[in-house]
Amino acid sequence: MKRLVILTIFALCALPLFGQKMTKEERAAAAQVRYDAALESINSRTFVLVPSEWTDPDGEVVSNDNNSIFLSVEGDDIFGQGRCVTDNNNDNVAEATKYDVTVDKKGNVKLTMTVSGRMWKGTYKITMRKGDNLADVIFDPGGSGTTRRFHGPIVPLVGASYNKHSHPM
């Protein structure tokens, strides 16, 4: 009985050690690693952005859990799926005719990317604040269509989880 009480006390003392949350410094370090990976993938033109939420034309914020809605940059080819990302329902492929990356002195990243494809044309303005890989995106289809706003994490193409359909237009 004494052993059982001692083991129970030991288990109750050890249990909080297994369920500890990350400290503020550990969270900041993990966010910095994500930021560095995102910045490297933006500079090498190999990243994916799956929106976590977007703003619909009525101004309502819509959450997203569908990884078939994405913006993918693979070298000079840009792939996009989903009306909230491309302003059409097609599986799109386009070419980046302009790709300018600017990092200000605070470390914030601004990417301006103009895409031109058969079914998809416009300009993306992507802003990522220093310290994490979350980006705010504004897509302007340039005269025809609706300006789209969405945000989500930028992740390197190599470990990204997204569902790219075949036969893009």
Side-chain angles (χ1 to χ4, degrees), residues 24 60 62 75 83-84 105 120:
K24 187 175 182 180
E60 292 185 38
V62 180
R83 180 167 290 283
C84 68
K105 54 186 167 182
W120 178 34

Side-chain angles (χ1 to χ4, degrees), residues 9 14 30 57-58 69-70 76 78 92 97 102 110 118 126 131 139 152:
I9 292 172
D58 297 330
I69 299 172
F70 68 89
D76 288 333
I78 315 298
N92 298 283
T97 57
T102 309
K110 293 183 180 165
R118 199 172 95 198
I126 301 173
F139 172 62

Side-chain angles (χ1 to χ4, degrees), residues 5 7 17 20 27 31 37-38 43 51 56 67-68 78 83 86 88 109 113 120 123 125 128 138 141-142 154 159 162:
V5 171
L7 285 173
L17 296 176
Q20 279 187 343
R27 283 192 305 269
N43 287 330
D56 69 7
N67 68 353
S68 293
I78 315 298
R83 180 167 290 283
T86 63
N88 67 43
V109 180
M113 180 173 63
W120 178 34
T123 302
K125 293 180 182 170
M128 184 176 73
I138 300 172
I154 292 179
Y162 66 105

Side-chain angles (χ1 to χ4, degrees), residues 25-110:
E25 293 81 19
E26 290 171 332
R27 283 192 305 269
Q32 186 64 38
V33 168
R34 289 191 303 267
Y35 170 82
D36 292 338
L39 181 58
E40 183 179 327
S41 65
I42 288 171
N43 287 330
S44 65
R45 294 183 178 206
T46 55
F47 69 88
V48 175
L49 192 151
V50 177
S52 55
E53 55 186 37
W54 68 83
T55 306
D56 69 7
D58 297 330
E60 292 185 38
V61 176
V62 180
S63 294
N64 180 38
D65 60 358
N66 182 355
N67 68 353
S68 293
I69 299 172
F70 68 89
L71 176 68
S72 170
V73 177
E74 302 175 17
D76 288 333
D77 294 329
I78 315 298
F79 294 91
Q81 288 177 188
R83 180 167 290 283
C84 68
V85 173
T86 63
D87 198 36
N88 67 43
N89 288 327
N90 300 320
D91 301 333
N92 298 283
V93 64
E95 183 179 301
T97 57
K98 177 182 174 188
Y99 192 91
D100 292 330
V101 179
T102 309
V103 180
D104 65 15
K105 54 186 167 182
K106 291 182 181 178
N108 300 324
V109 180
K110 293 183 180 165

Side-chain angles (χ1 to χ4, degrees), residues 131-145:
D132 209 347
N133 64 337
L134 297 176
D136 295 319
V137 183
I138 300 172
F139 172 62
D140 180 14
S144 62

